[in-house]
Amino acid sequence: MSKPRNRGGARAPSQRQLRAGELLRHALVDILRRDELRDPALAGVSITVSEVRASPDLRNATVYCTPLGVSEISAKQTKIDALNRCARYLRGQLGREIELRFTPMLDFRLDESFEEARHIDDLLRRHDVKRDL
């Protein structure tokens, strides 16, 4: 009997990838909490790291994060761009804090799940939707 194929093309992350992602997320939160970044675009900005997705070989990691206290999408993207400029420094700091064979390359992306959840919540609170529920 053959294995069923995943038609979407993407595989679910392995247990190893999930553990490494959580390890990286916790370490990044500790590094960002220390506020050692010298980029002026990140001065006084708190960053929420919601998820880190590690590649199957653990050499690359995508970091989904949101700057707190920033409401405009363009301003949020500016903060994410600043984090990508600091990615080499952050990778060096990660290498000192985690115990993995390779310290992954970091790619910061804006986490839009909070805005999407807020949009769905607003839709569910509309009068015509409440009436139908």
Side-chain angles (χ1 to χ4, degrees):
M1 188 173 212
S2 66
K3 290 184 178 181
R5 290 188 171 197
N6 188 350
R7 295 181 193 257
R11 293 183 180 173
S14 68
Q15 199 64 27
R16 180 173 167 239
Q17 286 173 273
L18 294 173
R19 274 196 317 265
E22 277 301 300
L23 176 72
L24 292 168
R25 187 178 72 82
H26 285 284
L28 276 171
V29 167
D30 288 342
I31 293 167
L32 291 172
R33 188 179 333 182
R34 285 187 234 137
D35 199 28
E36 296 174 349
L37 302 176
R38 295 185 181 151
D39 196 307
L42 296 172
V45 176
S46 295
I47 305 291
T48 299
V49 179
S50 55
E51 182 181 8
V52 176
R53 291 184 188 167
S55 65
D57 62 358
L58 304 182
R59 290 183 185 241
N60 297 300
T62 304
V63 182
Y64 292 93
C65 52
T66 303
L68 294 178
V70 181
S71 59
E72 295 180 18
I73 296 293
S74 61
K76 287 183 181 184
Q77 190 59 48
T78 303
K79 306 300 181 195
I80 299 301
D81 293 341
L83 282 170
N84 280 314
R85 285 193 302 269
C86 298
R88 288 183 64 198
Y89 172 77
L90 291 169
R91 182 177 184 229
Q93 294 296 312
L94 267 178
R96 293 180 185 91
E97 292 205 12
I98 61 172
E99 292 184 20
L100 290 176
R101 180 174 289 173
F102 302 103
T103 304
M105 300 292 289
L106 301 174
D107 178 31
F108 290 90
R109 298 208 180 148
L110 182 61
D111 185 8
E112 298 172 349
S113 63
F114 295 113
E115 280 80 22
E116 187 175 330
R118 184 177 307 132
H119 176 69
I120 291 171
D121 193 40
D122 291 343
L123 286 175
L124 290 174
R125 289 184 180 180
R126 286 182 21 194
H127 179 67
D128 55 337
V129 174
K130 280 185 179 181
R131 182 189 64 222
D132 291 343
L133 292 177

